[in-house]
Amino acid sequence: MMLRIRSRDGLERITIDNPNITISQLQTTIQTQLHIPIQTQTLSTNQNLLLSKTHTDLNRFTDMSNPNTPLSTLNLTHGSIIFLIYDGERRVVGPATAFSPAGSFGRKMTMDDLIANQMRVSRQETPHCESVSFDRDCADAFQRYVNETLAFAVKRGGFMYGRVCEDGRVEVDFIYEPPQQGLEENLVIFRDYEEEKVVEAVALGLGMRKVGFIFTQTVSQDKKDFTMSNREVIQAVEFHAESGLKEWVTAVVKLEVNEEMGGAADVHFEAFQMSDVCVKLFKEGWFETEITEDDDPKLSKMKKDVVVGVKDTKEVDNDFFLVVVKILDHQGPLSSTFPIENRNTQVTMRALKSHLDRTKSLPFVKRISDFHLLLVLARFLDLAADVPALTECVQTQTAIPEGYQFLIESMADAA
């Protein structure tokens, strides 16, 4: 029978020939196979043993203190975990690494001491951002397209841009939609890094930055029992890890059908942060990124065991990686009426002319205070000089210099 021994050195395995041996014989086996002297061992089936700091703490764990107690009375089976504290120093069999006496009394035991090379997965209750607030126009432009044009039949995504406030609030003022292919269960983002450079230049000039990722779930996904699928978790945490922003937000937009209301459907926004441990697991390469049709979408697969509760597993419920973020809304400084990039219809200069004609009654700076319009203009301007000058006027809502106004109107007239 195989038993697993968890100590400050991680999880190790021992083999016993007879499940009816006594505690004393088990301690001898641990001494033989793991090289931990019997007199230094304290054993228990209670994981809280590993948090003990004093001899008084240790004396509370008496379930395995009698050396004559048979293992069979403790309901231990093949693969059961026994928790072990020992004092002193040893060299773990295998890697030539000396372990310091981290469990010695008088020194504070750290989580790293307890789990060693294994990763513990638990729920994170508090997000790093206080809340996320969506500009009403940009949120409406995104949801209307996926609802009215795509009918939530295929997935759609975008990068959210805005500000991180001093108190941890995140404000989203526009959504950039990169080239992509939306499928029923999967969303493939085709990163156009040249276009993203232009996006970043416009955002910087507006005093904004990339603050999150937004994507939709299809109507077929709404019938499945998960908040995010394994594919969605991997994609979301990849962008979160890439950002390096602790307040990074992931938003999900979906259509919820209310059967009690005669099948009426409502568009819902939900916001999360990927947990710290989720980002750490991704950065360190723990996620199994090859997903097959047979995999349960509500579980993320790991390349090696992680600890969830007291259980070692390679499958983690996706909900463990999600930290709920409160959603608010606001009216931001930009409009979202100009045609949006990388959708079914290509944005041309004719769209610029139509937009300018439609907004003739407004001051010129108001007419171009739209990220998607500025993105079109920036493709033809100098990113180092023209774009900062133009976007500064938009940010401060000051008059556009005549030269730029003439240039923009000429571009529209040439359509």
Side-chain angles (χ1 to χ4, degrees):
M1 186 169 81
M2 184 273 288
L3 293 174
R4 293 181 289 179
I5 308 296
R6 180 174 293 286
S7 70
R8 66 175 187 255
D9 303 325
L11 192 68
E12 298 171 272
R13 290 167 172 78
I14 62 168
T15 303
I16 58 175
D17 298 326
N18 181 0
N20 295 314
I21 64 171
T22 63
I23 300 291
S24 175
Q25 291 169 312
L26 172 64
Q27 289 182 305
T28 300
T29 302
I30 291 173
Q31 177 176 262
T32 302
Q33 296 184 21
L34 302 184
H35 309 290
I36 299 174
I38 293 174
Q39 64 271 20
T40 69
Q41 298 175 22
T42 301
L43 301 173
S44 178
T45 57
N46 187 335
Q47 63 177 331
N48 291 327
L49 173 73
L50 298 183
L51 300 177
S52 300
K53 296 183 176 68
T54 66
H55 287 288
T56 302
D57 293 339
L58 285 182
N59 291 336
R60 297 193 183 109
F61 299 91
T62 58
D63 58 324
M64 297 183 71
S65 59
N66 185 344
N68 298 317
T69 300
L71 289 192
S72 56
T73 63
L74 299 174
N75 296 319
L76 296 174
T77 59
H78 181 78
S80 291
I81 296 178
I82 294 173
F83 299 91
L84 162 68
I85 266 194
Y86 69 92
D87 199 5
E89 182 177 329
R90 74 170 177 129
R91 191 175 295 274
V92 176
V93 177
T97 304
F99 282 79
S100 62
S104 300
F105 299 126
R107 174 181 165 185
K108 184 177 181 181
M109 188 176 292
T110 67
M111 186 60 73
D112 285 341
D113 293 328
L114 298 182
I115 67 173
N117 293 325
Q118 282 208 311
M119 184 74 76
R120 183 175 297 276
V121 177
S122 58
R123 294 184 189 276
Q124 180 180 322
E125 300 298 332
T126 307
H128 293 292
C129 66
E130 176 68 24
S131 61
V132 59
S133 181
F134 287 90
D135 171 78
R136 298 183 194 98
D137 291 341
C138 89
D140 185 61
F142 185 77
Q143 70 89 13
R144 269 194 297 108
Y145 179 68
V146 298
N147 189 12
E148 297 173 9
T149 303
L150 302 181
F152 281 95
V154 295
K155 296 171 72 66
R156 185 75 183 169
F159 292 112
M160 304 187 293
Y161 282 76
R163 299 176 177 82
V164 179
C165 304
E166 289 185 3
D167 59 1
R169 289 180 297 115
V170 171
E171 292 184 349
V172 176
D173 287 316
F174 71 83
I175 298 169
Y176 160 64
E177 299 179 22
Q180 57 192 276
Q181 177 65 56
L183 306 172
E184 193 173 351
E185 301 283 344
N186 202 12
L187 175 62
V188 183
I189 302 290
F190 302 111
R191 302 292 292 272
D192 182 341
Y193 291 104
E194 288 304 311
E195 183 172 82
E196 288 186 29
K197 284 180 186 176
V198 182
V199 173
E200 292 294 329
V202 174
L204 182 63
L206 295 171
M208 300 180 190
R209 62 165 297 166
K210 195 188 299 183
V211 294
F213 175 60
I214 186 170
F215 67 91
T216 64
Q217 291 181 333
T218 60
V219 285
S220 61
Q221 287 182 290
D222 183 50
K223 300 171 184 175
K224 299 180 180 177
D225 185 25
F226 56 76
T227 308
M228 271 194 211
S229 72
N230 43 18
R231 295 181 193 275
E232 291 166 347
V233 165
I234 290 173
Q235 187 170 55
V237 72
E238 178 182 0
F239 293 141
H240 189 146
E242 176 189 298
S243 75
L245 179 67
K246 76 178 191 304
E247 294 91 356
W248 182 270
V249 176
T250 298
V252 184
V253 184
K254 57 186 176 180
L255 194 68
E256 292 191 348
V257 179
N258 191 332
E259 301 294 348
E260 295 179 0
M261 299 294 290
D266 296 312
V267 177
H268 280 264
F269 281 68
E270 295 178 344
F272 306 93
Q273 282 201 291
M274 310 311 290
S275 69
D276 294 345
V277 73
C278 181
V279 175
K280 181 178 174 66
L281 286 167
F282 180 81
K283 285 182 175 180
E284 295 182 1
W286 289 65
F287 275 92
E288 184 62 69
T289 55
E290 295 297 323
I291 297 172
T292 68
E293 294 300 319
D294 295 331
D295 291 332
D296 187 338
K298 67 175 178 286
L299 300 176
S300 290
K301 293 177 71 173
M302 302 291 123
K303 293 178 180 176
K304 50 186 177 179
D305 280 352
V306 295
V307 184
V308 180
V310 295
K311 178 184 176 185
D312 288 23
T313 181
K314 288 183 179 176
E315 294 184 328
V316 182
D317 189 313
N318 299 332
D319 284 354
F320 274 95
F321 295 137
L322 306 180
V323 189
V324 176
V325 176
K326 181 170 62 177
I327 293 183
L328 305 171
D329 66 356
H330 68 278
Q331 194 64 53
L334 303 174
S335 64
S336 292
T337 57
F338 191 78
I340 293 173
E341 64 283 343
N342 301 312
R343 289 187 172 179
N344 291 339
T345 304
Q346 186 176 0
V347 181
T348 65
M349 283 300 166
R350 189 176 298 278
L352 176 60
K353 180 170 177 55
S354 298
H355 178 86
L356 292 179
D357 288 345
R358 192 173 62 250
T359 56
K360 274 184 178 177
S361 62
L362 298 174
F364 197 80
V365 67
K366 281 287 187 188
R367 295 163 75 186
I368 67 167
S369 294
D370 186 309
F371 160 76
H372 308 286
L373 182 151
L374 291 169
L375 179 59
V376 170
L377 296 179
R379 293 192 179 105
F380 300 94
L381 299 174
D382 187 323
L383 293 184
D386 298 332
V387 170
L390 198 59
T391 51
E392 183 181 4
C393 292
V394 172
Q395 183 185 8
T396 58
Q397 287 294 291
T398 53
I400 303 295
E402 286 185 9
Y404 283 123
Q405 183 171 336
F406 177 77
L407 176 62
I408 294 168
E409 289 175 334
S410 298
M411 292 165 65
D413 291 338

